[in-house]
Amino acid sequence: MPITPPIKGADIDGVYTLRSMADAKLIKAASHDQRVVIIGTGFIGMETASALAQAGTTASITVIGQGSRVMSNIVSETVSNALIKLHEEKGINFVFDATVSEITKIERQVDKDGDSNNQAFSNVGGVTLANGEHIDADIVVLGTGVSPRTEILHEVNDPDGVQVDAHLQLRDGIYALGDIAKPTNQMGRMRIEHWRVALQHGMVTAAAILNDDNVDSLEARIPFFWTMQYGKSLRYSGHAPTPDHNILFGTPDTLDYIEYYFDDEGADTRASAASTLGRDKELVAFSELLRRGHAPTRAQLNAGFDMVDQAHALSR
């Protein structure tokens, strides 16, 4: 379920969370000719900003983040800056290193027919930051993540997800799939909030129930997901604890790059993840090498390692 941060006024009319298609349609309708503030700079916040900007019907869009960059747990500062530039070129305003202390409330005028002066009734007047700054707004979207509802399973004591095996099984006859599941895969145990991962979960679980050995368990799979913003697909494969141990090839500002991530700065450390805009062929090759345990080291990448050729050679 969506996480509602402990912000005063987060429960007033005109504050939205995004979890379903119905939520998306409601936000789009409510934002028409309105000043929109989005709290959060992760996938939800950035994709919401992109969708509303592309719709072209808002009065303004401001994104507020607690940190100094967007998608900070996925991509490096250099790539983050390129994404910020892309959004700013589409008219998005950013406020970084900021904490929202209150969503302010106003009473809007209602005409004689009982209709409010905006499409979806809202009592939002703006947001106040911890430093005292006030930003006017008519609509607020909380893009502050989701949390799994583990309380429905009494034996689960991990608040970050249901710990299942590589076939998504909790115990005999009981499976947990999708965002709530925290299964093991080649990269370890993790919970990934993405529909493609949930789709894989369905196939893996169905195969387990039917005793079908032709479908790989999650232990034979590499995490893969993407985000679509302004028609550009940023794709990510693998898992890295931080994007700050990295090697970057290409130019993120022109939306043409691939970046490899490592667990540390060691020359012999193998890449554990990669992200890209525009270099899908290299990412697919890297994913196959990673899946087979042949991901390149930092030293190999610096020496001109040819990802595609090496993947082809391995498959012969």
Side-chain angles (χ1 to χ4, degrees):
M1 60 184 177
I3 296 173
T4 300
I7 299 173
K8 182 180 179 181
D11 59 345
I12 66 177
D13 290 331
V15 179
Y16 298 89
T17 57
L18 176 58
R19 189 60 183 157
S20 66
M21 179 62 74
D23 293 337
K25 291 179 178 179
L26 185 60
I27 291 169
K28 183 178 180 181
S31 65
H32 189 79
D33 288 335
Q34 304 300 299
R35 299 164 298 180
V36 179
V37 163
I38 299 169
I39 301 174
T41 54
F43 275 37
I44 296 173
M46 302 312 293
E47 290 181 359
T48 300
S50 169
L52 291 178
Q54 287 181 286
T57 59
T58 63
S60 66
I61 303 170
T62 300
V63 178
I64 300 175
Q66 285 189 316
S68 59
R69 65 200 216 201
V70 302
M71 296 170 57
S72 59
N73 62 330
I74 299 294
V75 298
S76 70
E77 184 176 4
T78 302
V79 175
S80 172
N81 288 340
L83 293 174
I84 292 169
K85 177 184 175 184
L86 173 64
H87 280 267
E88 288 179 335
E89 289 173 348
K90 304 297 183 180
I92 307 299
N93 305 302
F94 286 95
V95 179
F96 289 112
D97 299 314
T99 299
V100 176
S101 60
E102 181 180 1
I103 300 172
T104 57
K105 182 178 181 179
I106 62 172
E107 297 298 333
R108 296 190 183 277
Q109 295 295 320
V110 178
D111 64 27
K112 62 182 180 180
D113 296 320
D115 295 327
S116 67
N117 61 356
N118 61 339
Q119 285 190 334
F121 187 75
S122 170
N123 281 329
V124 170
V127 299
T128 301
L129 306 183
N131 64 4
E133 180 183 354
H134 183 80
I135 300 172
D136 291 334
D138 306 300
I139 299 295
V140 172
V141 180
L142 300 177
T144 46
V146 298
S147 62
R149 297 187 60 186
T150 57
E151 70 274 9
I152 64 175
L153 296 167
H154 297 299
E155 69 266 51
V156 175
N157 56 15
D158 184 350
D160 188 41
V162 180
Q163 294 198 15
V164 290
D165 64 19
H167 299 282
L168 286 306
Q169 185 168 248
L170 175 63
R171 61 176 185 268
D172 287 347
I174 303 295
Y175 297 83
L177 292 71
D179 289 359
I180 197 174
K182 193 175 183 181
T184 56
N185 57 46
Q186 274 203 23
M187 313 299 295
R189 183 179 293 280
M190 62 192 69
R191 188 174 65 84
I192 299 175
E193 300 163 6
H194 196 280
W195 70 265
R196 185 183 184 278
V197 175
L199 181 65
Q200 286 186 340
H201 287 183
M203 294 187 294
V204 169
T205 300
I209 293 171
L210 296 172
N211 293 316
D212 184 353
D213 295 331
N214 294 317
V215 177
D216 289 336
S217 74
L218 293 180
E219 287 178 338
R221 296 173 183 263
I222 297 297
F224 176 82
F225 52 89
W226 70 88
T227 174
M228 185 73 75
Q229 298 172 32
Y230 305 107
K232 308 297 182 182
S233 180
L234 187 153
R235 301 170 187 262
Y236 186 100
S237 179
H239 174 73
T242 172
D244 294 331
H245 303 305
N246 64 77
I247 295 178
L248 173 65
F249 297 96
T251 52
D253 277 349
T254 62
L255 308 181
D256 175 32
Y257 85 91
I258 188 164
E259 185 171 60
Y260 298 97
Y261 308 108
F262 304 82
D263 291 352
D264 55 49
E265 295 291 334
D268 295 327
T269 300
R270 294 186 181 276
S272 59
S275 74
T276 187
L277 276 165
R279 299 195 178 190
D280 293 350
K281 189 174 182 180
E282 292 174 53
L283 186 70
V284 170
F286 168 75
S287 299
E288 182 61 14
L289 291 171
L290 182 63
R291 186 182 71 84
R292 295 192 179 201
H294 292 276
T297 65
R298 180 184 293 274
Q300 286 176 315
L301 283 169
N302 283 329
F305 187 88
D306 191 311
M307 200 70 64
V308 175
D309 282 353
Q310 291 297 322
H312 284 164
L314 191 64
S315 63
R316 292 190 187 112

